[in-house]
Amino acid sequence: MYRLMRLAIAIIALVACSEQPTVEPDNQVLNVSWLNSEGKKADPAYAIQFPRDHASHPEFDIEWWYLTSNLTDEAGNHYALQWTLFRFKDGANASPWTNGHIFMGHASLHSAEKHWFSEKFAGAGLGNAGIEESPFRYYID
């Protein structure tokens, strides 16, 4: 319980460092031309099994994990918190810097009036981003 509370506080501190304007979608297609991979595709007949499927599946082109929480401050204001770690397979550009995978961490905090967020990117080859299965750990910086 206390570890989750400390994590939530750390994420809030991260995203609260600078106020970001809310970005309205412009209906453009996301450009992922850098994602030059022919990884395994999702199979609709796949039977999900936990805890195995909580871990990473590096053979797929993209995968992500969420941590979400609803928070209330001492004044009774409500906030929504989300931290997401994305893993992109970039096998065509594999190097000691990326290990064939690129990670993006996205943290956001929402109140009724404001939205704060922060993003980070890292290549997996340096050890500053990744997924560990036992004990389960996912991280960026």
Side-chain angles (χ1 to χ4, degrees):
M1 175 76 168
Y2 290 110
R3 291 180 75 192
L4 181 58
M5 288 173 55
R6 285 186 292 182
L7 176 61
I9 290 167
I11 292 171
I12 290 168
L14 171 72
V15 298
C17 289
S18 64
E19 186 173 331
Q20 302 288 331
T22 300
V23 178
E24 296 297 325
D26 60 4
N27 296 323
Q28 292 183 359
V29 175
L30 178 64
N31 180 1
V32 291
S33 59
W34 55 269
L35 184 60
N36 298 319
S37 178
E38 294 296 324
K40 185 175 177 181
K41 304 303 178 208
D43 178 2
Y46 180 81
I48 297 172
Q49 293 179 6
F50 295 115
R52 177 195 70 196
D53 287 318
H54 282 299
S56 182
H57 302 85
E59 67 277 10
F60 286 94
D61 287 341
I62 186 170
E63 189 169 29
W64 57 91
W65 297 263
Y66 290 102
L67 170 69
T68 59
S69 181
N70 293 307
L71 307 170
T72 305
D73 68 15
E74 294 169 349
N77 298 306
H78 299 285
Y79 300 91
L81 171 72
Q82 182 173 39
W83 185 78
T84 309
L85 182 66
F86 296 89
R87 182 202 48 78
F88 303 97
K89 186 174 184 179
D90 192 21
N93 294 314
S95 74
W97 300 99
T98 68
N99 191 10
H101 299 275
I102 298 170
F103 285 85
M104 181 185 103
H106 176 91
S108 64
L109 179 67
H110 304 262
S111 72
E113 299 81 26
K114 295 183 181 179
H115 171 204
W116 301 269
F117 71 94
S118 181
E119 294 176 341
K120 283 192 168 198
F121 288 84
L126 298 176
N128 62 328
I131 306 295
E132 295 176 9
E133 291 186 32
S134 183
F136 184 66
R137 183 173 100 116
Y138 52 119
Y139 59 95
I140 186 165
D141 289 341

